[in-house]
Amino acid sequence: MKIRTRLTLWYTAILFAILVVISALSYSLLRWSLNKDVDDSLLAVGQIVRDVGGIPGPAPLGGAEALVREILGPEFYDKFFRLVDPDGQPRARSPFFAGAAASLSPAALRNARRGAPTFETVALRDGAPARVITLPVLRAGRVVEIVQVGIPLARAHQTLAHYLRTLLILVPVGLLLAAAGGALTARAALARIDTMSRTARRISAEDLAERLARDGTGDELDHLAETLNEMLARLEAAFAEIRRFSADAAHELRTPLTALRGGLEVALRAERTAPQYRAALASSLDDVERLVRLAEDLLLLTRSSAGAEAKAAPVDLEPLVLDVLDTALRLAAGGAVTVRLADAFPRAGDAQLTVTGEAMALRRALLNLVENALKYTPAGGTVELALAREGAEGVIRVRDTGVGIAAADLERIFDPFVRLDAARARATGGAGLGLAIARSIVAAHGGTLAGESAPGRGSVFTIRLPLA
Ligand code: ADP
């Protein structure tokens, strides 16, 4: 069922319930106030009839009634009365007191003898209901006579029936009008959603540039459009990045493949001696190794940026740093770059710095930083590893005294396939994936990796990881 229909139905159902309750309340209020009016007027008339007509002795009723009629005027209209003696025997009655039970009801008689008035609803001879008050006339504390005044209820009942008929017509009409109005309102409010969903359907992965129209009212739908547009912008950026990445990766793969093909073609062009074949194969093997490394790096980057299978285990940072230091010492062996630990490296007895994550991945990230530091630090320089606790974070720093990085490039170098011109030479530079891999591994561990540098004087790369 459409939201529009559901909204209208709910709205109508609630309105119906409200109308029913209000109708019932107003109907009973009207009935109550009509009854009260009848009773009040009966009491008033009864008291006057009692005072005027309730005279002991054989006073002719006709005279009394005429007198009462004169006193009361219109108030007496359609009322009737009769006089009853204290035993309950009717003595005189107005001609209208046609049908009511010949004698007093036992309850009314009982009340009258106690001096209290009684209101009753009785049936007239033709079955029509009437309201009757029974009032005792007291003389010196003794009931000498009983006055009964009645009024047919037909008019009050007619008024009620009329009101009920009006309700029965007005409520459904009101409901119909409200339902129609509700449906129109709902349709108008939801029309924009229709438009939005049509636009959204048009937007595909190929064309993420389109945006949902906003009307600037700042209402919920405007807000929704804004949220969806932000999401589209993020998707567009992500898709663009993926496209760029694929293009860069293809380009990066093509270079060694072209070299490989060239080498093989040259080797096959003529008969070669065994040593020549061996040389050609060895050079091909270099290219293949580069391809394998590239493929591995790509895989690693994809895995770590997808955050997949990060096996969470406690990782002690100190042995990890010492292990990488070991590797760095071996890599630097024979060169003129000094590799060492910072003075402030935690000593035995210091609290352990433990993070949660995958030791192999973290080692890879740190090793990438250290390899870079060694690569871009000329002879005589120093590469220094530091580990410290800063607040709730474990901080690893790789400091070098190498060529440094221009401020404008400092963020760029973390993007995949970015190599700075100075380091473009394939001999030293990798594919430009090292820092991208390191950053995505650290990010997958909830940490950050940032670089600072003074061109010509060296760089510091800082890994911050939340401690377990
Ligand atoms: P690569 O595999 O080429 O080293 P990276 O992503 O690790 O790729 O580094 C990207 C670029 O950042 C490098 O080409 C280099 O120019 C620059 N770079 C990285 N580390 C350093 C450093 N310690 N000193 C100077 N330049 C660096």
Side-chain angles (χ1 to χ4, degrees):
M1 213 192 281
K2 287 185 166 179
I3 291 189
R4 196 196 310 156
T5 323
R6 272 209 309 261
L7 274 180
T8 311
L9 282 183
W10 269 111
Y11 172 69
T12 316
I14 291 173
L15 189 68
F16 178 67
I18 293 175
L19 284 181
V20 165
V21 170
I22 287 183
S23 302
L25 282 178
S26 68
Y27 181 83
S28 20
L29 197 69
L30 180 64
R31 195 174 56 185
W32 177 82
S33 86
L34 281 175
N35 284 344
K36 189 169 164 342
D37 278 356
V38 164
D39 286 1
D40 285 353
S41 116
L42 277 181
L43 188 61
V45 173
Q47 277 162 350
I48 290 175
V49 171
R50 180 180 62 184
D51 295 346
V52 173
I55 307 142
L61 187 62
E65 184 168 359
L67 186 58
V68 169
R69 228 176 248 292
E70 201 155 294
I71 295 173
L72 289 173
E75 180 71 4
F76 192 75
Y77 173 76
D78 82 357
K79 298 207 175 60
F80 44 77
F81 70 100
R82 69 173 172 186
L83 301 175
V84 184
D85 62 23
D87 311 324
Q89 290 313 307
R91 277 221 318 251
R93 63 175 171 81
S94 63
F96 293 113
F97 212 108
S103 55
L104 283 180
S105 73
L109 197 56
R110 249 198 330 276
N111 282 343
R113 287 196 179 131
R114 278 196 284 117
T118 311
F119 288 99
E120 287 166 304
T121 304
V122 302
L124 297 180
R125 191 182 301 151
D126 56 3
R131 189 80 170 153
V132 171
I133 185 175
T134 307
L135 269 179
V137 181
L138 300 174
R139 288 278 181 279
R142 232 167 43 83
V143 180
V144 292
E145 197 167 37
I146 295 167
V147 175
Q148 277 197 307
V149 181
I151 183 172
L153 284 174
R155 262 158 32 95
H157 283 186
Q158 245 168 31
T159 309
L160 274 177
H162 195 70
Y163 183 61
L164 191 63
R165 270 198 304 280
T166 314
L167 284 180
L168 285 181
I169 294 171
L170 280 188
V171 167
V173 168
L175 267 187
L176 272 182
L177 287 178
L184 281 180
T185 318
R187 176 196 298 251
L190 297 176
R192 277 169 57 209
I193 293 193
D194 274 350
T195 319
M196 276 165 77
S197 77
R198 266 199 303 279
T199 314
R201 208 168 294 143
R202 261 206 317 274
I203 299 175
S204 66
E206 307 316 317
D207 175 25
L208 284 166
E210 196 165 349
R211 294 289 179 270
L212 300 174
R214 293 185 50 195
D215 60 3
T217 54
D219 62 6
E220 289 89 338
L221 290 183
D222 204 41
H223 224 73
L224 177 64
E226 188 188 346
T227 312
L228 290 176
N229 281 345
E230 283 166 10
M231 186 183 82
L232 282 172
R234 284 196 299 274
L235 279 178
E236 193 183 13
F239 269 91
E241 171 142 0
I242 291 172
R243 242 177 250 136
R244 201 170 45 237
F245 183 85
S246 313
D248 288 349
H251 184 80
E252 211 55 50
L253 285 168
R254 198 175 56 182
T255 315
L257 281 173
T258 311
L260 188 59
R261 184 175 64 187
L264 292 176
E265 277 171 357
V266 170
L268 287 174
R269 200 162 292 154
E271 276 296 313
R272 307 278 176 193
T273 60
Q276 279 172 328
Y277 278 127
R278 197 164 296 129
L281 284 177
S283 136
S284 300
L285 191 60
D286 279 350
D287 289 328
V288 171
E289 264 164 7
R290 257 177 71 192
L291 280 169
V292 170
R293 225 178 312 130
L294 185 58
E296 277 170 352
D297 279 356
L298 281 174
L299 201 59
L300 199 60
L301 183 60
T302 321
R303 278 215 192 114
S304 57
S305 56
E309 41 190 298
K311 281 175 241 94
V315 181
D316 205 352
L317 291 182
E318 196 178 327
L320 187 122
V321 173
L322 292 176
D323 180 32
V324 172
L325 177 78
D326 228 37
T327 312
L329 284 171
R330 255 186 292 121
L331 287 174
V337 176
T338 315
V339 177
R340 65 168 193 226
L341 283 181
D343 292 340
F345 200 79
R347 299 183 208 298
D350 282 358
Q352 273 189 353
L353 298 175
T354 310
V355 299
T356 309
E358 202 183 335
M360 282 307 291
L362 286 174
R363 184 179 183 282
R364 175 79 258 165
L366 183 55
L367 192 60
N368 283 0
L369 298 183
V370 171
E371 278 173 357
N372 278 347
L374 287 172
K375 249 190 278 178
Y376 303 111
T377 303
T382 312
V383 172
E384 194 178 81
L385 277 167
L387 172 64
R389 172 199 292 271
E390 286 179 16
E393 288 175 329
V395 179
I396 306 173
R397 284 204 175 78
V398 181
R399 185 188 305 272
D400 68 54
T401 57
V403 295
I405 304 153
D409 295 322
L410 213 46
E411 248 331 282
R412 212 161 61 83
I413 52 172
F414 290 97
D415 289 340
F417 304 113
V418 171
R419 280 171 303 219
L420 300 183
D421 278 336
R424 196 97 214 187
R426 281 254 148 62
T428 54
L433 289 174
L435 286 177
I437 290 172
R439 179 172 263 186
S440 77
I441 289 174
V442 173
H445 284 77
T448 58
L449 166 59
E452 293 161 66
S453 185
R457 286 200 278 142
S459 322
V460 187
F461 285 85
T462 310
I463 297 179
R464 291 174 181 278
L465 291 167
L467 291 173

